[in-house]
Amino acid sequence: VQLSQAGEFGLIKRMRRIIESGSDEIVLGIGDDAAVVRPKSGSCLVLTTDALVEGVHFDLRYTPFDALGWKALAVNLSDVAAVGGVPSYALVSLALPEAWTVENVESLYRGLKRCGKMYDCKIVGGDTTRSIGKGFISISVIGYVKQNAIANRSGAQPGDLLCVTGTLGGARVGFEVLRENQNVDLFKKSIRRFLKPLPKIAEAGRLIRELKISSMIDISDGLSSDVSHLCEQSGLGCILREDAIPLHPDVKVWAEQVGIPPARFALTSGEEYELVFTVNPDRLERWINHNRKEKHFPVTSIGEMVHKNKGIRVKCGEKTIPLSEKGWNHFRK
Amino acid sequence: VQLSQAGEFGLIKRMRRIIESGSDEIVLGIGDDAAVVRPKSGSCLVLTTDALVEGVHFDLRYTPFDALGWKALAVNLSDVAAVGGVPSYALVSLALPEAWTVENVESLYRGLKRCGKMYDCKIVGGDTTRSIGKGFISISVIGYVKQNAIANRSGAQPGDLLCVTGTLGGARVGFEVLRENQNVDLFKKSIRRFLKPLPKIAEAGRLIRELKISSMIDISDGLSSDVSHLCEQSGLGCILREDAIPLHPDVKVWAEQVGIPPARFALTSGEEYELVFTVNPDRLERWINHNRKEKHFPVTSIGEMVHKNKGIRVKCGEKTIPLSEKGWNHFRK
């Protein structure tokens, strides 16, 4: 069905059918000029927004619409995770090219809904318009965080360890495999990682409560770029050990195939949505010992925070070189 | 300066310089992954989002960037007004074509900042990316409303009067004058109305507190379309008197020039950002009598709410015809 056949209000009705879920806290939902919700008391509000632009962040040749919806919300949830919050509400702003069908938009909304359900984030409103040209999805998420449990980019201390959750490089493998349309079956896990990232909401909460981490950022632009942001905001330098970067299992195969050293490949892999954080070394040791018998998520120390005058550097074998920002930077070529 | 010269992070620094304003309630502001604010206690949260898309909502041939920034925020504030809220925070999501300069974006941000300042709405975060093609500005606003003072679209009662604030038609005059590039000097007031609308935050609050209005909507699509939405959501019909519609002073001149009856011209004029509401007739009379000696904003009764089976109709002279949706509808042609 063409968008022009359904019309704006027909389309909105279909979208409501997908996402609507009654909830006591929602006083006024979709269908009014604005949503009204009863807030959680005793918490601060977390506010964030992130957009996916066609041709910049996604390519419909290899991005199913449901994955697009999932990802558009997930990248916002990852920002909520980075400050230690839990998500609660989402607002969805869409500009739709005429070539997209009603079914495409419904599929996008199903992806949104599934991601929201997994992370307990309700879609309470939005705006849907035409676009001349490319598609555009901007989402804002409103969440909560306790005032004494907020993580930021600026609290790292000299001597803190620089750590990362999970493994890196998989998202970039997924992206490149899809883009080149090569061995798609061999790299299914990486593709899933790229298309449907899992923001680390629960992990972030545990890092703050149990480890009293001193700063945190999520990896959206790439480890090298995001570590640089964290260092700048904390007014510190760091020494990152390239050989310590935890690699996604697919990285070794793919990076060698394209002729890039695996760790360097992972260093500039964006859209990972893992967390980078800094922590006192003793606290990390105690936490790892304490958690040895329980199931816990992987955390790897990849370097150390140092004074600003030592620079932001990466140790590659015997050499220690400046960690130039190699991640994603809009506009710059 | 080209965007590619400044780079994403250089641009963000310039934008921060324009909008940053220290505030006790902002715990974490621009520069972190998400903003964190201390909420007002005892109020519900108002959440809304609205986008302006180049080629759909604005045309740079006659829209200065500062007006664009103003309007992008104002249209959101009008949604907050429509539910009776007061705005507090804004998140700004931008997709910038390569042709826009750093100075263009700074000018846009100055417009945003000025509108925010006028309505006490702080810009606490955003996202800035490239766009392949057209420009896109999506803003989300977070505000507050007391639970016992929320207006919605669904509370109208049969017998209520249908009323509107201010005058209508000016925004459409402004738009058409700019588009045709005719007599721009003669219609300055209408042009200003179109480019820099003034959301009715304070007026909405007074209508709710003093008049105990039964429903409300803001005029973004056009009176005919927005009245239809209000009727549908309230499960009612209405009789709207075309000759009662309060007209902007410029409408008579321009509408006659283009050969459209002035009231009909005003009926389908979108982007007015006035408020349409329903109210008990006795209450309205008492309020008008009471306010006779004080300064108050103009309110005009333009019709009456009736049972659903009487339809949504407009009285034009002797005839009463269905009020077909003549306002703005994306996608439909």
Side-chain angles (χ1 to χ4, degrees):
Chain A
V1 180
Q2 297 304 301
L3 294 175
S4 55
Q5 278 177 275
E8 180 182 357
F9 306 111
L11 186 65
I12 291 173
K13 265 179 205 160
R14 282 166 180 251
M15 292 181 334
R16 279 179 77 161
R17 242 175 268 149
I18 294 170
I19 55 167
E20 211 144 41
S21 58
S23 169
D24 277 356
E25 40 184 334
I26 300 175
V27 182
L28 218 58
I30 294 161
D32 262 282
D33 289 286
V36 177
V37 300
R38 261 183 223 105
K40 235 190 237 184
S41 62
S43 284
C44 287
L45 292 175
V46 178
L47 311 173
T48 192
T49 190
D50 232 336
L52 298 187
V53 183
E54 188 181 356
V56 178
H57 302 92
F58 65 91
D59 188 324
L60 290 174
R61 280 173 299 180
Y62 51 75
T63 311
F65 277 94
D66 66 324
L68 185 57
W70 177 286
K71 190 162 182 172
L73 182 53
V75 300
N76 277 282
L77 300 182
S78 185
D79 281 329
V80 174
V83 300
V86 291
S88 205
Y89 309 107
L91 298 166
V92 179
S93 181
L94 294 176
L96 306 173
E98 293 206 10
W100 293 16
T101 65
V102 170
E103 289 75 15
N104 292 157
V105 180
E106 287 182 319
S107 176
L108 189 154
Y109 255 77
R110 274 191 287 271
L112 270 176
K113 163 95 180 183
R114 261 195 288 271
C115 183
K117 208 166 178 184
M118 177 153 173
Y119 289 94
D120 204 15
C121 182
K122 292 166 207 76
I123 297 158
V124 292
D127 182 42
T128 306
T129 74
R130 274 189 305 137
S131 166
I132 312 287
K134 300 293 180 182
F136 188 100
I137 309 164
S138 179
I139 296 189
S140 294
V141 169
I142 296 89
Y144 297 104
V145 66
K146 293 276 177 198
Q147 175 142 17
N148 59 5
I150 301 167
N152 61 37
R153 296 181 179 179
S154 57
Q157 300 297 321
D160 280 352
L161 294 177
L162 182 69
C163 301
V164 65
T165 60
T167 63
L168 301 180
R172 184 169 166 193
V173 172
F175 166 62
E176 294 188 359
V177 164
L178 284 171
R179 191 189 56 190
E180 312 295 329
N181 197 17
Q182 271 185 32
N183 302 111
V184 170
D185 289 338
L186 270 179
F187 295 103
K188 274 190 179 152
K189 280 188 181 163
S190 287
I191 289 171
R192 195 172 168 80
R193 219 186 137 92
F194 172 69
L195 290 179
K196 296 204 170 174
L198 298 171
K200 303 295 179 286
I201 301 286
E203 291 83 346
R206 284 191 58 190
L207 292 176
I208 292 168
R209 284 191 309 274
E210 301 173 9
L211 262 174
K212 315 272 182 230
I213 57 168
S214 53
S215 73
M216 185 150 66
I217 189 170
D218 71 323
I219 303 183
S220 52
D221 298 334
L223 181 65
S224 61
S225 188
D226 292 314
V227 162
S228 300
H229 296 322
L230 190 144
C231 287
E232 273 166 35
Q233 295 274 86
S234 289
L236 294 179
C238 79
I239 310 291
L240 195 158
R241 281 174 290 116
E242 202 181 57
D243 63 1
I245 298 172
L247 300 175
H248 187 279
D250 286 348
V251 170
K252 212 165 173 275
V253 187
W254 180 258
E256 272 174 16
Q257 201 169 316
V258 295
I260 303 177
R264 205 146 309 161
F265 182 93
L267 197 60
T268 53
S269 172
E271 308 197 22
E272 293 283 354
Y273 303 108
E274 294 291 346
L275 298 166
V276 174
F277 61 92
T278 57
V279 62
N280 175 286
D282 298 335
R283 277 219 192 88
L284 182 66
E285 205 189 327
R286 279 200 301 273
W287 187 75
I288 287 174
N289 288 336
H290 183 260
N291 281 287
R292 207 162 288 236
K293 283 165 203 162
E294 300 175 47
K295 264 191 201 171
H296 76 101
F297 55 93
V299 159
T300 310
S301 163
I302 56 171
E304 195 188 345
M305 301 307 288
V306 296
H307 278 285
K308 195 177 182 177
N309 58 20
K310 294 200 179 155
I312 303 170
R313 302 173 73 86
V314 57
K315 197 166 180 301
C316 322
E318 297 304 296
K319 288 182 298 181
T320 302
I321 58 171
L323 178 72
S324 48
E325 281 185 30
K326 284 171 184 159
W328 185 257
N329 178 324
H330 281 285
F331 314 117
R332 187 166 288 167
K333 283 152 188 173
Chain B
V1 180
Q2 297 306 302
L3 294 175
S4 55
Q5 278 177 275
E8 181 181 359
F9 306 109
L11 186 65
I12 292 173
K13 267 182 204 159
R14 281 165 180 254
M15 295 182 332
R16 278 180 78 164
R17 242 176 267 149
I18 294 169
I19 54 167
E20 210 144 40
S21 57
S23 169
D24 278 357
E25 40 183 334
I26 301 175
V27 183
L28 216 58
I30 295 160
D32 260 283
D33 288 287
V36 176
V37 300
R38 263 184 222 103
K40 236 190 237 183
S41 62
S43 285
C44 287
L45 292 176
V46 178
L47 310 174
T48 192
T49 190
D50 231 337
L52 299 186
V53 183
E54 188 180 355
V56 178
H57 302 92
F58 66 91
D59 188 324
L60 290 174
R61 279 173 301 180
Y62 51 75
T63 311
F65 277 93
D66 65 324
L68 185 57
W70 177 287
K71 191 163 182 172
L73 182 54
V75 301
N76 277 283
L77 300 182
S78 185
D79 282 329
V80 175
V83 300
V86 290
S88 205
Y89 309 108
L91 297 166
V92 179
S93 180
L94 295 176
L96 307 173
E98 292 207 10
W100 294 15
T101 65
V102 170
E103 289 75 15
N104 293 158
V105 180
E106 286 182 318
S107 176
L108 189 154
Y109 255 77
R110 273 191 288 271
L112 271 175
K113 163 94 182 187
R114 261 196 288 270
C115 182
K117 208 166 177 183
M118 178 153 173
Y119 289 95
D120 204 14
C121 183
K122 289 165 210 77
I123 298 158
V124 292
D127 183 42
T128 307
T129 74
R130 274 188 306 137
S131 166
I132 311 288
K134 301 292 181 185
F136 187 100
I137 309 166
S138 180
I139 296 189
S140 294
V141 170
I142 296 91
Y144 297 104
V145 66
K146 293 273 176 201
Q147 176 142 18
N148 60 4
I150 300 168
N152 61 36
R153 296 180 178 179
S154 57
Q157 300 297 321
D160 280 351
L161 295 177
L162 182 68
C163 301
V164 66
T165 60
T167 62
L168 300 180
R172 183 170 167 192
V173 172
F175 166 63
E176 293 188 359
V177 164
L178 284 173
R179 192 188 53 191
E180 312 294 330
N181 197 16
Q182 271 184 35
N183 302 112
V184 170
D185 288 338
L186 270 178
F187 295 103
K188 275 192 179 150
K189 278 186 183 166
S190 287
I191 289 171
R192 194 173 168 79
R193 219 186 138 91
F194 173 68
L195 290 179
K196 295 203 172 177
L198 298 172
K200 302 294 179 285
I201 300 284
E203 292 84 346
R206 284 191 59 188
L207 293 174
I208 292 168
R209 283 192 308 274
E210 301 172 9
L211 263 172
K212 314 271 181 230
I213 57 170
S214 54
S215 72
M216 186 152 66
I217 189 171
D218 72 324
I219 304 183
S220 52
D221 298 334
L223 182 65
S224 61
S225 187
D226 292 313
V227 162
S228 300
H229 295 322
L230 189 143
C231 287
E232 274 165 36
Q233 294 274 86
S234 288
L236 294 179
C238 79
I239 310 289
L240 195 157
R241 283 174 289 116
E242 201 180 58
D243 63 1
I245 297 172
L247 300 176
H248 187 279
D250 287 345
V251 170
K252 211 164 175 277
V253 187
W254 180 259
E256 271 173 16
Q257 201 169 315
V258 295
I260 303 176
R264 205 146 310 160
F265 182 92
L267 196 59
T268 53
S269 173
E271 308 199 23
E272 294 283 356
Y273 303 108
E274 294 290 346
L275 298 166
V276 174
F277 61 93
T278 57
V279 62
N280 175 287
D282 299 334
R283 276 219 192 89
L284 182 66
E285 205 190 328
R286 280 201 300 275
W287 187 75
I288 287 174
N289 288 336
H290 184 259
N291 283 288
R292 205 161 291 236
K293 284 166 203 161
E294 300 175 46
K295 265 191 199 167
H296 76 100
F297 56 93
V299 159
T300 311
S301 162
I302 56 171
E304 196 188 344
M305 301 306 290
V306 296
H307 278 283
K308 193 177 180 174
N309 58 20
K310 295 202 175 150
I312 302 170
R313 302 173 74 86
V314 57
K315 196 166 182 300
C316 322
E318 297 303 297
K319 290 181 297 182
T320 303
I321 58 171
L323 177 72
S324 48
E325 283 184 29
K326 283 171 183 158
W328 186 257
N329 178 322
H330 281 281
F331 314 116
R332 186 166 289 165
K333 283 150 189 176

